[in-house]
Amino acid sequence: MTNARRTTTTHRRRSPRRIARKPLAGSLAVAALLGGAWYATAATSSGESGGSTAAGTSASPSVSSSASAEAAAQGSPSTTGTATASASAKTTPKAAAKTSTTAKVATGTLSPTSTTVALAAKFPYLTAGYNNTREWTRTTTAVAPNGTLRVAWPAADGVHVTPLNAAGLRSGADTIVKGTKEVGGLVAHNDGFALLTRVADTNKWKETAAAIVRYTNGKQTFRTKLTGTASNDTSPGLDGQLTWNGTKYGAYFVVHGAGGFADGHFGDKLTYISAKGAKLSGGWSWGCSHNEGIALHAETSGAFTSLCFDDWRSGLFVSTGIGAPDVAPVVQREQCWAGYCGGTFPSRTGDLVKSATGRYATAFASRGAASAKKNAADSSGRGWTVTPRTGTHQVAVAFMANRNSGPGKAVYLTSAAGTENVNVHIAPYGKDRLLVSWESLKGAKCNAGTCTGTFTGTHLRLIDWNGKAQGTDKVVTARISGDIAVLKNGTLTWAYAPVTPTYATPLNGASPTTTSLRLARLTP
């Protein structure tokens, strides 16, 4: 583990939802056995970022613009219809949303269209990240086998799961999963959904526990805690993923040691759960250190494929659980101190796409590595020191031949030194292309790994499976602020807050809120 880092800079998340992370002063006797570097932390109370205070939205169109990035960022009045939401779980709201009349339903033009869905509660759409950096509060959109959709988003009364039909129109009242915080992942079923979230728990840190909650036909069928006293762990912030292979769920998330060998330190956990909520064998109880970006792909057999940003070995790795610091294939070396790394899910990574031939692709915000070497001050021999190549994050794509191998050299899609790039995502686009999206900030001013700047647009770029651009970038007014669902016909769909971003200042105080979401659609 690394014990000679961050001597002059403090990296923090002031939001109560986030955990202050500090270097561990001395070596642990069991360090050689553990798959994560750990950092001691004072006990902190968990909770959501801010409250819902500034209700309302600033509307921007979801139709893409071919004008300059600045013009796209300004937007124009929206003419999308609104679906009427019901505040009562027993009342079915009228689905009155209509596709934007200003939008031409386009195929293959990188022009998203959208519907607007009214919400039954206020959605605080921003979260304070490291150094109070503005990050989108995660929403997750998932598609069921029958083509219907579910969108999960957090509110003051719990996580809401909104049902939509295949056209993106509300089809019923929200299911409110009471006593839950954070959307860590969502799986949609024909008769309901499964949600990875956080629930109340009793432990020395007074933090929440990770849990999977399954609803079937409107009723809760199981609520399974994934951390607790028996396993000496908590989950004050999931930064997670939940996937399903038709037989079992895979839940991958951050854990905080609450007793035992990992007391006070951070790692990650991969757990498999049956369709009835029972814990299954496989996975691991302790993996990558301070995982700052989690990706998980469900496989039809064997272990699910996973990626992590590990701050001990400093970089992006194929996750292998407790042996990760020694044997995990290296995807990319990065300076992964808190706030510096390309992770910080959901705004910078978390997507892992598999091709028909078994290759994998992931995209992330990267500062690269001018040099990377073992940290001589780390007695375990596992710590690395990385000197970044750039001061701002650039958009990188990495490819893996299979789930057990590291890739070749990452492909960089951006290079402007004074531009910061955040909120990077990748998704399949048709049979043989990939869609990469990101938000750019010009005039970036960076401190302790995080940057402020002037938002200049959401960029979409098509690439092939070698990273080669398949046309010029498209700057659009739609945002991608969470997980993207892929329909059977290849259409991509996702939910986002209909507001124009600003990254000029950190987020101090409560998040603003919105009472509607846009459901964007992009058809190859």
Side-chain angles (χ1 to χ4, degrees):
M1 56 172 292
T2 303
N3 55 16
R5 300 170 106 174
R6 310 177 201 167
T7 56
T8 60
T9 304
T10 299
H11 308 291
R12 63 194 183 278
R13 290 187 175 190
R14 291 178 182 166
S15 162
R17 176 184 177 276
R18 302 298 182 177
I19 304 302
R21 298 175 175 183
K22 303 177 182 179
L24 187 61
S27 300
L28 297 178
V30 295
L33 300 177
L34 301 176
W38 309 314
Y39 296 91
T41 178
T44 57
S45 61
S46 64
E48 285 303 319
S49 171
S52 301
T53 56
T57 63
S58 142
S60 61
S62 60
V63 185
S64 65
S65 168
S66 57
S68 68
E70 288 291 347
Q74 295 302 316
S76 60
S78 171
T79 59
T80 54
T82 301
T84 302
S86 169
S88 168
K90 296 181 180 180
T91 304
T92 301
K94 297 179 181 179
K98 297 181 180 179
T99 302
S100 170
T101 57
T102 64
K104 180 177 71 174
V105 178
T107 299
T109 60
L110 292 185
S111 298
T113 59
S114 76
T115 55
T116 299
V117 179
L119 304 180
K122 295 178 181 179
F123 167 45
Y125 58 82
L126 292 180
T127 296
Y130 288 108
N131 299 325
N132 285 25
T133 301
R134 292 171 181 263
E135 295 181 1
W136 293 111
T137 300
R138 181 177 177 183
T139 63
T140 296
T141 305
V143 58
N146 63 6
T148 59
L149 301 168
R150 309 286 189 279
V151 176
W153 49 279
D157 57 351
V159 172
H160 286 234
V161 180
T162 302
L164 306 169
N165 63 21
L169 305 179
R170 179 184 279 275
S171 60
D174 292 352
T175 297
I176 305 173
V177 187
K178 298 289 187 179
T180 60
K181 299 179 178 182
E182 188 178 353
V183 177
L186 180 72
V187 172
H189 299 289
N190 291 344
D191 58 2
F193 62 87
L195 172 72
L196 174 62
T197 187
R198 295 186 288 120
V199 299
D201 195 25
T202 301
N203 54 72
K204 64 186 296 182
W205 305 125
K206 299 180 181 179
E207 293 172 343
T208 49
I212 294 182
V213 184
R214 171 76 186 265
Y215 271 75
T216 305
N217 296 321
K219 296 182 179 181
Q220 180 176 304
T221 50
F222 68 76
R223 180 177 292 218
T224 302
K225 283 188 177 181
L226 307 180
T227 59
T229 303
S231 52
N232 292 317
D233 54 9
T234 70
S235 189
L238 292 166
D239 293 344
Q241 284 281 19
L242 180 68
T243 57
W244 165 258
N245 70 354
T247 302
K248 63 182 179 181
Y249 301 100
Y252 191 22
F253 53 94
V254 169
V255 290
H256 184 199
F261 66 83
D263 188 38
H265 312 299
F266 280 86
D268 67 31
K269 189 171 189 175
L270 175 61
T271 301
Y272 295 106
I273 303 293
S274 75
K276 294 184 178 181
K279 294 180 182 180
L280 303 174
S281 61
W284 53 80
S285 59
W286 199 266
C288 296
S289 165
H290 264 164
N291 196 333
E292 297 176 27
I294 284 175
L296 185 66
H297 182 84
E299 307 291 352
T300 55
S301 63
F304 289 7
T305 302
S306 55
L307 297 178
C308 70
F309 274 96
D310 188 320
D311 68 350
W312 192 4
R313 293 189 75 197
S314 287
L316 178 63
F317 298 88
V318 176
S319 309
T320 57
I322 204 164
D326 283 336
V327 301
V330 180
V331 177
Q332 173 83 354
R333 291 286 180 191
E334 296 280 345
Q335 186 184 65
C336 275
W337 299 358
Y340 282 75
C341 208
T344 318
F345 186 85
S347 69
R348 292 178 179 172
T349 191
D351 302 318
L352 183 60
V353 179
K354 186 177 183 180
S355 74
T357 60
R359 294 180 68 204
Y360 296 86
T362 189
F364 52 98
S366 168
R367 295 198 302 151
S371 65
K373 59 184 179 181
K374 287 286 188 73
N375 184 350
D378 181 1
S379 60
S380 75
R382 299 181 181 184
W384 281 71
T385 299
V386 174
T387 301
R389 182 173 53 84
T390 60
T392 55
H393 290 90
Q394 303 301 323
V395 179
V397 180
F399 299 94
M400 297 186 295
N402 56 64
R403 64 184 182 182
N404 298 313
S405 67
K409 188 176 181 180
V411 177
Y412 282 84
L413 307 187
T414 63
S415 60
T419 299
E420 171 77 349
N421 299 283
V422 299
N423 200 22
V424 179
H425 289 275
I426 189 169
Y429 193 84
K431 294 182 179 179
D432 55 5
R433 292 182 292 177
L434 295 162
L435 177 75
V436 184
S437 70
W438 67 91
E439 294 176 4
S440 59
L441 287 63
K442 72 176 184 180
K445 296 180 179 179
C446 303
N447 177 43
T450 57
C451 305
T452 56
T454 302
F455 171 74
T456 56
T458 299
H459 296 253
L460 303 181
R461 182 183 298 185
L462 292 182
I463 62 173
D464 64 16
W465 274 84
N466 294 312
K468 183 178 179 180
Q470 304 294 291
T472 58
D473 289 4
K474 187 84 166 182
V475 179
V476 301
T477 56
R479 312 292 168 229
I480 301 179
S481 57
D483 300 78
I484 301 171
V486 184
L487 280 61
K488 286 184 178 179
N489 68 350
T491 293
L492 306 178
T493 184
W494 65 92
Y496 68 96
V499 295
T500 300
T502 176
Y503 292 96
T505 59
L507 176 64
N508 294 305
S511 168
T513 62
T514 179
T515 53
S516 67
L517 285 173
R518 289 272 175 80
L519 227 295
R521 297 170 69 88
L522 182 61
T523 302

